[in-house]
Amino acid sequence: MKTIIILFFLTTCLTFAIPSFESLGWGFTIDAIKGFYPEVEREFTPSSEVTKYNYYPKDTDTGKIVFYLVDNQLYKIITIFDPTKIKSADVEDMFNDYSKQWGTPVSAIVDSTYEEFSLKENEQTWIVGTTYISLIGQDYFDNDNNLTNSKLIVEYGLIDPAKRKRKSSLNNLILDKNN
């Protein structure tokens, strides 16, 4: 019986483990997340279904990690890097490491113009089991085309299993990616 329980535990961990967050799994509650990240802080969200919790790692190049939960179940994690600590070579190394681990990503380039600024975004997305991992670079420009802000984000999200079975396109696989 003990062997069956251990095998079930290992299978569950391997199936639902999140790359870069192997101790966590999709569907974890905030209490389970606090077991690994006890200093998470709840962030106000206007939605009653989605809750966000922020974690601010110390002594790393990560500025903040945001855990998104729907009905108290983890479904997305966003890592926002500290722009004063991460350099272009670091981004290139991350891209190369991810590509070695997970193959060629699906690429998307976004170029949007708004009244007060424009946004240029480069997104590379890998599918790993039930998870998508997106490496996202965002550059914000003012109306005179001066760079005003730059962000590096890695987004981990749960892929909707029903859509995965239908072999939907990458954009349709992702559960509510824009929240």
Side-chain angles (χ1 to χ4, degrees), residues 40-51:
V40 294
E41 303 169 359
R42 185 168 180 167
E43 178 182 330
F44 170 78
T45 53
S47 170
S48 61
E49 295 174 7
V50 177
T51 52

Side-chain angles (χ1 to χ4, degrees), residues 128-166:
V128 181
T130 59
T131 303
Y132 71 86
I133 299 111
S134 293
L135 179 62
I136 305 166
Q138 295 177 332
D139 291 325
Y140 295 83
F141 297 88
D142 64 16
N143 288 333
D144 295 324
N145 209 30
N146 298 312
L147 181 65
T148 59
N149 194 3
S150 193
K151 293 181 184 179
L152 176 63
I153 300 165
V154 178
E155 180 176 310
Y156 306 84
L158 177 63
I159 296 173
D160 184 340
K163 292 179 180 177
R164 179 76 186 242
K165 288 177 187 171
R166 291 194 308 255

Side-chain angles (χ1 to χ4, degrees), residues 59-130:
D59 301 321
T60 71
D61 57 4
T62 302
K64 164 169 93 166
I65 299 172
V66 184
F67 299 97
Y68 289 79
L69 288 83
V70 170
D71 298 326
N72 198 31
Q73 294 187 329
L74 180 64
Y75 82 99
K76 182 166 58 172
I77 302 170
I78 294 181
T79 301
I80 303 169
F81 290 89
D82 182 338
T84 64
K85 294 181 180 177
I86 194 132
K87 307 292 179 234
S88 294
D90 299 324
V91 176
E92 186 175 342
D93 289 344
M94 287 174 76
F95 175 81
N96 290 334
D97 288 346
Y98 288 5
S99 294
K100 282 180 193 171
Q101 289 178 49
W102 305 313
T104 304
V106 174
S107 300
I109 295 175
V110 175
D111 196 354
S112 304
T113 303
Y114 302 93
E115 194 171 305
E116 299 294 322
F117 67 95
S118 63
L119 167 67
K120 295 181 193 296
E121 181 176 284
N122 184 347
E123 182 175 324
Q124 308 296 319
T125 301
W126 294 265
I127 302 296
V128 181
T130 59

